[in-house]
Amino acid sequence: MDIGASRHSETDAGRPRRGERLVARRWRRATLALAVTAGSVVGVVGVDAERAFAEDGLRYEAHSTYTVDPAAGVVHVVVDATITNQKPNRSTSTGYTQYYFPRIGIPILAGATNLAATRDGRPQSLGVETTESDRFQVVFVDLSPDLYYRDVAHLRLGYDMPSAPPRSTDGATRVNSAFATFWAFPVADPGLTSVRILIPKSFEVDYVGNDLTEKTQGEYRLYESGAIGDPLTWAVVFSARNDDELEARDADHDERKIRIRSWPDDDAWADFVDRQLDDGLPELEALIGLDWPRDDELQITETYTPYLYGYAGWYTPDDNTIEAGDALDAEVILHEVSHLWFNEDLFSDRWVNEGVAQAYSNRAVDASGGDALHPDDIDASAPGAVALNAWGDPSFRDDTTDDQEEFGYNASFFVIDAIIEEIGDDKMRDVLRAADQQQVGYVGDPKPEKVLGPVTWKRLLDLVERAGGSEEARTLWLDHVVDSNGREAMRDRSRAITVYEELVDAGGEWTPPIAARTAMTKWQFGIARTQMAEARAILETRDEVEDALAGSGVDLPTPFEPDYEGAEVDLAKLRERASGYLDAAEVVAAAHAEADAGPGLLGTIGLWGDDYETRLARADRQFEQGKADAAATTATAVRATLDDASTQGRNRVLMVVGAIAFIVVLVFAIRRLRRKRRARRAAALAAAAEAIADAGASADNTEATAEGDVEGGVEGDPSSEAEAASAPSDPGPSETHGESFLEPPHPT
């Protein structure tokens, strides 16, 4: 069970605020003195020379029964004693001496009422005397007749321990329908005494002290000691509670669900707690700066139980309950309320939870007008001094526990108070907020990552330094928190922080990878150094990439920074990727350099129709998107194009020159062909004309011959010759083809 407790100094309005453990120890010392007196003859007066005061020789057997009576508001006590005078009479040179016991003393707690004593059923007179302690008295029972040698007397002493009012002096009996507390102790010789306690079964019982057996007897729980071998050191303190009988009230505090449960006879305590919640709770919340941590109902219960274990109160997160004693102490109430935030869900170490609870509750008391406590300077030589790391839950077994508790509460208060005084309330709220949000101690960019689990003293040191800006925390930790092993860990931490800060400087706007920051947060400095070495190599590659891209107008790959900062486990793969970025950057940069140099005349001719600039821009985009291989491929292709541009340009020039030459030759050839064709046509025309002429001459000869033969023809008629010459000849197909051949279309 997780318990946050408050513990105080030894004086507060008459109540030892350190609790029952110390009270029990002081009570035992007082009982020791009384028991020694009761075990012999107390207050015997001898007036006869023949009757002497007995120094020893009394067998004293007694069995005490304590019965809680809530209805009457008392604890009934019955002591059944059997005493035997074992001191023999003796003869002397002057006579005969008898040893006798005229009365017997029985120690009781101060304030007892309804005292009555009997001997063998007969009433006996008694008297009460005080002791050096105001907590104890001695009842003297007259033995009538006196108890002589071998006489046996059966005595019964009965008395009531009435309930004292709330906030009575420590050790007082309290009994009401909801609560009872009282002391029980033996009063006789070793091995001849026992204690029995009867408590109604409706009560839940806690006790501290010696072991008891438990069983049911009717409507009671019966606790029995058996024979007590060392009555001088034996004692138990009981606290019994019946919460069904508590007075309950709902407290309305900014819609917080809070119920106050007090004893039926102590409205003053409930009123006081209510006022502290009204006045101090708003101040406490403002100082802490965190949201109210619970949705379920908080119960604040008045009880004596914490006093049994040395505390003024405690908080149990499992059922969201505060249990506190009846003291009207504002700091106790606010201390326990602060444990709603400060418990093992937030901080794993007891000293941290108690230290912040002490510091903030007292600041809230001060802010609400109360009297705040302040820590004492730490005395490393004080009894119980211990490194706060080693201050765990108490064992309640020896006096060392009390010393360590006193030291631990003050030392933890001192350390936390010193931190708050140094960095201020605002920065301490930042620290608490970071702890509540489980942030790593070494924050990345832009959103802090988380580390699951409560904050250890190691992570708290990181947070107060890095989130709070403390420069004194390390010294406080070395002086008061850590042991020798912890100091070695802190030296290792200092070395690792030096490497880390160098990595931060080298990274510029790039925060270290989460893998390194997590290892630093967990104080795994060997792992952290390995991760930081990998990270430093990646940053060097990044710088080489930037150098390679200088002047190109190309940015680093967009994923490069978040991949670096967010690398959670293995940086080796990222280092390989960074090398890939460098290789691609060199290719892209080379492509830009060649493009910027210009292709020249022949290159420009060679690049006609090739949009290499668009392809180079694509390579830039691919690189900036983190597609290193694609960018390198595209840029390589651009470079190949640029490298081949002059050759392509030369080839294109040659092709153009060749084409021109071909055209010139072709034109010349065409013209020559045309000339040949015109010559052939002219020749053909000439030949045709000659043929026509020849044909005409031949016709003339034929006609002349025919005219001589034809009847009616007129030889040499001029009109006939003229008709023949002027009549057009009928062109035939061959002539038309010949005409087409002789007149070809004009070439384009």
Side-chain angles (χ1 to χ4, degrees):
M1 179 174 62
D2 178 18
I3 294 179
S6 52
R7 189 174 177 92
H8 298 283
S9 61
E10 196 165 340
T11 58
D12 173 50
R15 172 179 293 281
R17 298 263 301 282
R18 293 179 56 198
E20 189 51 55
R21 182 69 180 178
L22 292 182
V23 172
R25 188 175 65 200
R26 288 193 297 273
W27 178 87
R28 287 174 188 149
R29 284 198 287 264
T31 303
L32 176 62
L34 287 171
V36 168
T37 304
S40 60
V41 178
V42 180
V44 174
V45 179
V47 295
D48 188 329
E50 295 184 351
R51 295 189 302 175
F53 180 85
E55 295 293 339
D56 55 21
L58 182 70
R59 182 183 186 277
Y60 190 175
E61 179 178 351
H63 305 284
S64 303
T65 300
Y66 296 77
T67 303
V68 176
D69 186 350
V74 300
V75 176
H76 303 295
V77 183
V78 175
V79 179
D80 289 307
T82 301
I83 56 175
T84 304
N85 185 345
Q86 296 180 330
K87 182 73 170 178
N89 301 324
R90 66 185 181 90
S91 299
T92 66
S93 59
T94 59
Y96 182 75
T97 302
Q98 290 182 300
Y99 295 98
Y100 68 101
F101 295 90
R103 62 179 183 172
I104 185 71
I106 302 175
I108 61 172
L109 290 172
T113 62
N114 300 324
L115 283 82
T118 64
R119 175 179 178 178
D120 298 322
R122 299 188 308 275
Q124 300 286 295
S125 62
L126 52 79
V128 178
E129 296 183 7
T130 61
T131 67
E132 294 179 356
S133 170
D134 57 3
R135 298 181 187 172
F136 298 95
Q137 295 175 324
V138 177
V139 175
F140 291 99
V141 179
D142 289 334
L143 299 178
S144 178
D146 296 336
L147 194 68
Y148 285 90
Y149 178 55
R150 292 180 177 175
D151 285 347
V152 177
H154 299 286
L155 304 177
R156 166 167 284 192
L157 172 67
Y159 62 92
D160 291 337
M161 291 302 305
S163 180
R167 289 163 293 283
S168 298
T169 57
D170 185 68
T173 300
R174 294 294 316 281
V175 183
N176 57 49
S177 60
F179 164 71
T181 184
F182 59 95
W183 298 78
F185 53 92
V187 294
D189 292 343
L192 299 178
T193 186
S194 68
V195 173
R196 302 168 72 247
I197 300 99
L198 291 164
I199 300 176
K201 290 193 298 185
S202 58
F203 283 73
E204 295 180 6
V205 178
D206 285 292
Y207 68 89
V208 294
N210 298 83
D211 293 334
L212 300 168
T213 62
E214 178 185 354
K215 64 182 180 181
T216 299
Q217 180 174 302
E219 295 300 315
Y220 292 91
R221 301 180 193 275
L222 173 61
Y223 297 86
E224 295 182 296
S225 67
I228 297 174
D230 187 3
L232 299 183
T233 60
W234 195 100
V236 290
V237 183
F238 275 83
S239 175
R241 56 194 290 177
N242 182 0
D243 288 353
D244 292 339
E245 296 295 324
L246 292 170
E247 299 288 340
R249 68 171 71 173
D250 292 326
D252 183 13
H253 297 281
D254 294 331
E255 300 182 355
R256 310 285 191 249
K257 298 177 182 178
I258 303 176
R259 171 165 286 197
I260 301 171
R261 302 193 302 170
S262 62
W263 295 330
D265 58 353
D266 199 2
D267 287 342
W269 185 87
D271 293 340
F272 176 83
V273 173
D274 210 351
R275 286 196 305 274
Q276 302 317 306
L277 296 177
D278 275 337
D279 299 339
L281 182 55
E283 300 291 348
L284 185 65
E285 288 189 276
L287 287 164
I288 294 173
L290 300 177
D291 293 338
W292 182 256
R294 302 289 291 249
D295 293 328
D296 53 337
E297 181 180 75
L298 169 66
Q299 292 195 10
I300 304 177
T301 301
E302 184 179 19
T303 179
Y304 193 86
T305 305
Y307 291 158
L308 294 178
Y309 300 96
Y311 299 99
W314 54 43
Y315 168 69
T316 53
D318 292 346
D319 56 5
N320 199 25
T321 297
I322 291 171
E323 295 185 345
D326 59 356
L328 304 183
D329 191 325
E331 195 277 333
V332 171
I333 301 303
L334 295 178
H335 177 109
E336 299 311 330
V337 171
S338 73
H339 276 303
L340 270 73
W341 290 277
F342 307 133
N343 54 66
E344 289 184 355
D345 289 337
L346 183 59
F347 297 114
S348 63
D349 297 285
R350 183 188 180 208
W351 77 265
V352 178
N353 285 312
E354 295 303 336
V356 291
Q358 285 283 85
Y360 276 102
S361 60
N362 280 287
R363 277 168 166 75
V365 168
D366 183 67
S368 57
D371 295 327
L373 302 176
H374 300 282
D376 296 328
D377 291 339
I378 298 176
D379 181 4
S381 64
V386 62
L388 288 175
N389 277 353
W391 185 50
D393 292 331
S395 62
F396 303 111
R397 292 177 181 172
D398 52 39
D399 292 346
T400 301
T401 296
D402 296 318
D403 294 333
Q404 287 186 353
E405 288 294 276
E406 184 175 351
F407 179 88
Y409 271 94
N410 180 72
S412 60
F413 186 9
F414 180 93
V415 170
I416 298 299
D417 186 71
I419 293 295
I420 299 175
E421 286 293 320
E422 178 201 2
I423 67 177
D425 291 333
D426 289 340
K427 281 296 185 179
M428 193 62 188
R429 276 189 286 269
D430 291 341
V431 171
L432 295 177
R433 191 176 300 111
D436 182 62
Q437 296 174 357
Q438 299 181 318
Q439 292 181 8
V440 294
Y442 298 80
V443 178
D445 178 36
K447 184 178 181 179
E449 298 84 359
K450 292 185 177 182
V451 175
L452 299 180
V455 175
T456 65
W457 63 268
K458 297 176 180 179
R459 285 176 57 195
L460 179 60
L461 176 59
D462 292 336
L463 291 176
V464 297
E465 286 186 341
R466 308 194 75 82
S470 173
E471 297 179 355
E472 299 177 5
R474 182 176 179 275
T475 299
L476 288 168
W477 258 242
L478 287 171
D479 290 347
H480 307 301
V481 175
V482 300
D483 55 14
S484 58
N485 292 332
R487 281 189 284 274
E488 179 56 37
M490 290 188 63
R491 284 191 288 269
D492 197 14
R493 172 182 182 268
S494 296
R495 292 189 290 267
I497 286 177
T498 299
V499 178
Y500 182 85
E501 296 299 342
E502 292 172 351
L503 182 63
V504 170
D505 292 340
E509 295 182 355
W510 290 25
T511 55
I514 182 60
R517 290 184 282 113
T518 299
M520 290 291 292
T521 296
K522 294 181 177 180
W523 285 42
Q524 298 171 340
F525 300 121
I527 296 174
R529 279 190 288 270
T530 299
Q531 300 286 15
M532 288 189 289
E534 290 279 4
R536 190 62 181 267
I538 293 170
L539 290 178
E540 291 173 356
T541 303
R542 177 205 63 179
D543 295 342
E544 292 176 6
V545 172
E546 288 181 327
D547 292 342
L549 295 173
S552 68
V554 182
D555 295 328
L556 290 172
T558 301
F560 199 176
E561 180 179 355
D563 286 350
Y564 170 81
E565 294 177 339
E568 295 182 356
V569 181
D570 188 4
L571 295 177
K573 292 182 179 179
L574 181 58
R575 188 174 179 182
E576 292 177 4
R577 198 179 316 151
S579 297
Y581 288 149
L582 178 58
D583 294 341
E586 291 173 345
V587 176
V588 172
H592 274 277
E594 293 184 22
D596 293 343
L601 178 59
L602 290 178
T604 301
I605 295 172
L607 293 173
W608 284 346
D610 189 322
D611 193 4
Y612 75 91
E613 292 179 337
T614 299
R615 290 191 291 139
L616 184 55
R618 184 185 310 122
D620 295 346
R621 289 194 301 273
Q622 290 170 333
F623 182 81
E624 290 175 349
Q625 291 169 358
K627 302 174 182 178
D629 292 342
T633 300
T634 303
T636 298
V638 172
R639 291 189 66 194
T641 297
L642 293 173
D643 291 343
D644 197 42
S646 296
T647 301
Q648 291 295 329
R650 186 180 301 108
N651 291 339
R652 288 182 176 181
V653 169
L654 292 176
M655 289 176 63
V656 171
V657 172
I660 293 173
F662 173 76
I663 293 171
V664 171
V665 171
L666 179 61
V667 171
F668 176 78
I670 291 172
R671 289 180 177 177
R672 185 177 179 184
L673 178 60
R674 286 174 129 184
R675 286 194 297 271
K676 287 182 180 181
R677 286 178 177 174
R678 284 194 293 270
R680 283 196 298 272
R681 180 183 178 192
L685 290 174
E690 183 179 354
I692 293 170
D694 288 342
S698 176
D700 289 344
N701 290 334
T702 301
E703 184 178 352
T705 301
E707 285 178 354
D709 294 335
V710 176
E711 184 176 322
V714 182
E715 182 179 359
D717 187 350
S719 62
S720 300
E721 293 180 7
E723 290 175 5
S726 62
S729 56
D730 184 14
S734 62
E735 290 178 331
T736 302
H737 175 74
E739 185 69 12
S740 176
F741 176 77
L742 293 172
E743 294 291 339
H746 193 280
T748 59

